[in-house]
Amino acid sequence: MVLSKDFLWGGAVAANQCEGAYLEDGKGLALVDILPSAQEDRWGALLDPKKAMETTYNFYPSHESIDFYHTYKEDIALLAEMGFKTFRMSFAWTRIFPEGDELEPNEAGLAFYDKVFDELAKYNIEPLVTINHFDTPLGLVTKYGGWRNRKLIDFYVRYAETLLTRYKGKVKYWLTFNEINMILHIPFFGGGLIFEEGENTEQVKYQAAHHQLVASALVTKLAHEIDPENKVGCMLAAGIVYYNTPNPIDVRAAQESNQEQYFFVDVQSRGYYPSYAKRKFEEAGFEIEFEDGDEEILKNTVDFISFSYYSSRIISGDPEVMKQVKGGNAFASIANPYLEVSEWGWAIDPIGLRVTMNEMYDRYQKPLFIVENGLGAVDELVDGTVQDDYRIDYMRKHLEQMIEAVKDGVELWGYTSWGCIDLVSAGSGEMKKRYGFIYVDRDNFGNGSNKRYKKASFDWYKKVIASNGQEL
Ligand code: P53
């Protein structure tokens, strides 16, 4: 058997995309709660959050989502039926600290996650938790300017310490920030950043990233102190960047683009800033402000490296060629003529997963964990099920390549597919972009019965898990 018998098979969700109950039991508003759905230009709102703050929209997908807050028992039972070994979920920061800057946590919020962990424990499902998944409290954005402000470190550490203490013994696998590199691409999502006219956005983004890196290292240290059994991981939106042609200017552009992503893991895994980053900041004419002690703090490195993988990308060193690149996605890319794309234009590249895994393992020599992968597609519910062969095909090909990487020698702890139960899309705010093995009857406008239905992929994944990846 290629995969170890303890391999952690499962699926992943995020609080703001599935829980709903956005003001229940004392929860405060998170930055995602002011973002509209696709129909009302979510993407525009993400890129221009000032406008989003001032606009009243008709519909906010995170407010009700799929109501996991109330359906968690039924949903976890379905995941258990598939044989899940692990469930990746995130805490809604604003359930615990509604504004973000309170001194005491909200007990009702903490109690909810106790109930979820107890439910998971019934089925021997190991929780894998993300402390912050795109849902910084809105209070911290409006009062402090989000992660550009160093004070956020203290608020985050207080929040994380509350979780680490409360769930000691119940949770062992922790991720500090979801897709930490997303702060460069969607700064509002990643860091609650809103820019002022004329300011150096690169500088603000990297300074905010520094605050997150320091916060992540502090929490890594704390997690190990509170319970030496804890395993802490970083989380990267990964996906190798290919060069467009063998022209060395393209090769160099791809290298730089890959370094831009790896920068975060370089710090979190090695414990210091890489030299290429120092040069980059210097040439861009700014410095990252370090406080005394930051260098020491950063030496608290992670135990494993987790990442999402949906796609590879292509870049060119020729500005003329780059002009053809279409936007509308966090990761713009030149089209790859060898690959098919999803209905949302994301290139489907299973071999790219093997390449990415080898690259990352070579670079860090630490265990990897694939915590997101999957196909967002339009599903049609017919006779109480969805014949989602396209999803099975996508996943089978990716799992084959994942296993090849393990054969190459990559140490891999687990695989959690994204959106194992249908939920609201982060980027587009749609329900229509579905990833799950379980169909949820709810549409882009929040209409529908909210009932759950098993798709064809449900039985398929159950077999995959039961055979530990031998039957794909
Ligand atoms: P959606 C962009 C590019 C890569 C990953 O994305 C991304 C994003 C943000 O859209 O986010 C991760 O829902 C993220 C999840 C998200 C998932 O990818 O836009 O961690 O929250 O749902 C898929 O299709």
Side-chain angles (χ1 to χ4, degrees):
M1 200 172 281
V2 180
L3 302 175
S4 92
K5 64 174 185 7
D6 309 319
F7 190 78
L8 290 167
W9 290 101
V13 300
N16 72 80
Q17 292 172 256
C18 74
E19 286 178 2
Y22 82 115
L23 289 178
E24 209 157 315
D25 295 331
K27 184 184 169 296
L29 286 179
L31 61 82
V32 282
D33 294 329
I34 64 156
L35 296 173
S37 61
Q39 290 76 19
E40 294 175 274
D41 192 20
R42 181 181 184 89
W43 195 253
L46 272 170
L47 298 182
D48 185 4
K50 218 178 234 170
K51 196 174 132 217
M53 299 270 241
E54 291 159 3
T55 309
T56 306
Y57 299 99
N58 293 316
F59 181 63
Y60 298 88
S62 72
H63 291 189
E64 289 178 28
S65 304
I66 58 157
D67 200 31
F68 180 82
Y69 193 72
H70 297 110
T71 59
Y72 70 93
K73 280 193 183 167
E74 169 198 337
D75 294 338
I76 290 171
L78 285 167
L79 305 178
E81 196 182 322
M82 275 186 278
F84 271 36
K85 312 281 182 208
T86 189
F87 178 51
R88 175 179 175 230
M89 51 184 267
S90 75
F91 296 102
W93 189 340
T94 50
R95 285 198 194 287
I96 320 289
F97 290 97
E99 291 275 314
D101 59 357
E102 294 86 349
L103 296 175
E104 295 303 324
N106 170 33
E107 172 56 31
L110 291 167
F112 169 66
Y113 295 106
D114 266 322
K115 288 190 288 181
V116 173
F117 296 139
D118 292 346
E119 203 61 26
L120 291 170
K122 272 192 202 164
Y123 304 101
N124 283 320
I125 299 175
E126 184 85 51
L128 161 62
V129 299
T130 316
I131 296 173
N132 183 208
H133 191 129
F134 297 159
D135 63 352
T136 299
L138 196 59
L140 297 185
V141 177
T142 52
K143 285 188 245 174
Y144 302 91
W147 278 93
R148 69 167 70 218
N149 190 328
R150 200 180 158 101
K151 287 201 180 102
L152 270 270
I153 298 176
D154 295 336
F155 299 132
Y156 175 88
V157 171
R158 181 179 303 142
Y159 160 54
E161 185 170 12
T162 306
L163 303 176
L164 286 161
T165 314
R166 174 81 171 217
Y167 307 116
K168 180 179 172 177
K170 288 190 181 186
V171 177
K172 182 174 153 190
Y173 296 96
W174 302 82
L175 304 179
T176 50
F177 289 93
N178 181 62
E179 294 189 338
I180 189 162
N181 51 326
M182 207 48 89
I183 197 165
L184 301 180
H185 310 283
I186 316 180
F188 188 58
F189 243 171
L193 300 179
I194 302 174
F195 300 111
E196 297 305 325
E197 197 88 19
E199 73 180 339
N200 184 336
T201 57
E202 282 296 288
Q203 180 172 5
V204 175
K205 286 194 275 185
Y206 276 105
Q207 188 63 48
H210 177 70
H211 298 150
Q212 294 192 338
L213 290 166
V214 169
S216 175
L218 281 169
V219 166
T220 304
K221 178 167 182 274
L222 206 56
H224 292 146
E225 284 164 5
I226 290 174
D227 186 349
E229 290 290 303
N230 279 333
K231 303 286 179 207
V232 185
C234 53
M235 190 327 194
L236 184 76
I240 179 111
V241 182
Y242 300 140
Y243 30 89
N244 195 36
T245 74
N247 184 340
I249 64 160
D250 287 355
V251 178
R252 173 60 197 156
Q255 180 173 53
E256 256 183 276
S257 178
N258 282 309
Q259 281 175 335
E260 188 179 275
Q261 312 307 323
Y262 287 139
F263 161 73
F264 296 85
V265 187
D266 283 355
V267 178
Q268 290 175 294
S269 180
R270 294 169 171 166
Y272 54 89
Y273 271 53
S275 49
Y276 64 80
K278 290 184 189 158
R279 173 173 180 184
K280 176 174 158 159
F281 303 146
E282 209 174 276
E283 288 186 353
F286 61 82
E287 255 178 62
I288 302 297
E289 275 176 44
F290 272 58
E291 267 192 13
D292 282 352
D294 282 3
E295 268 180 52
E296 271 311 299
I297 292 168
L298 292 178
K299 288 180 187 158
N300 295 287
T301 57
V302 292
D303 304 305
F304 66 101
I305 289 153
S306 83
F307 63 94
S308 60
Y309 177 86
Y310 293 93
S311 187
S312 56
R313 281 181 288 151
I314 301 181
I315 198 168
S316 163
D318 178 347
E320 282 305 310
V321 177
M322 287 309 286
K323 274 189 195 154
Q324 307 156 12
V325 172
K326 283 187 273 162
N329 187 356
F331 289 122
S333 171
I334 294 172
N336 188 327
Y338 300 97
L339 301 177
E340 287 178 14
V341 295
S342 78
E343 286 161 288
W344 272 264
W346 295 17
I348 300 173
D349 182 9
I351 294 175
L353 173 61
R354 179 179 179 184
V355 177
T356 301
M357 290 173 73
N358 271 281
E359 288 281 322
M360 290 183 55
Y361 192 67
D362 280 351
R363 197 172 176 111
Y364 303 114
Q365 299 282 302
K366 281 191 187 176
L368 304 185
F369 206 135
I370 302 171
V371 296
E372 284 185 33
N373 170 242
L375 180 69
V378 178
D379 288 340
E380 208 191 332
L381 186 70
V382 180
D383 297 332
T385 188
V386 175
Q387 217 47 56
D388 57 344
D389 305 313
Y390 38 92
R391 181 167 294 109
I392 296 174
D393 185 60
Y394 176 102
M395 290 190 68
R396 178 185 289 129
K397 288 179 177 149
H398 282 78
L399 292 177
E400 279 168 4
Q401 294 301 321
M402 172 187 96
I403 288 171
E404 288 305 317
V406 172
K407 287 188 192 163
D408 294 332
V410 171
E411 191 185 344
L412 182 69
W413 281 357
Y415 173 91
T416 59
S417 69
W418 175 249
C420 47
I421 178 164
D422 290 348
L423 36 64
V424 173
S425 150
S428 73
E430 293 164 291
M431 261 316 285
K432 196 172 143 198
K433 190 179 186 189
R434 298 171 184 273
Y435 287 87
F437 306 114
I438 301 163
Y439 184 90
V440 178
D441 179 23
R442 189 152 260 188
D443 70 12
N444 279 0
F445 307 94
N447 302 317
S449 67
N450 202 35
K451 270 201 195 135
R452 277 62 172 151
Y453 298 90
K454 296 173 195 170
K455 303 181 193 176
S457 55
F458 185 100
D459 292 323
W460 172 79
Y461 197 48
K462 186 175 176 177
K463 260 196 280 177
V464 170
I465 298 178
S467 67
N468 201 19
Q470 287 185 307
E471 260 180 69
L472 292 179

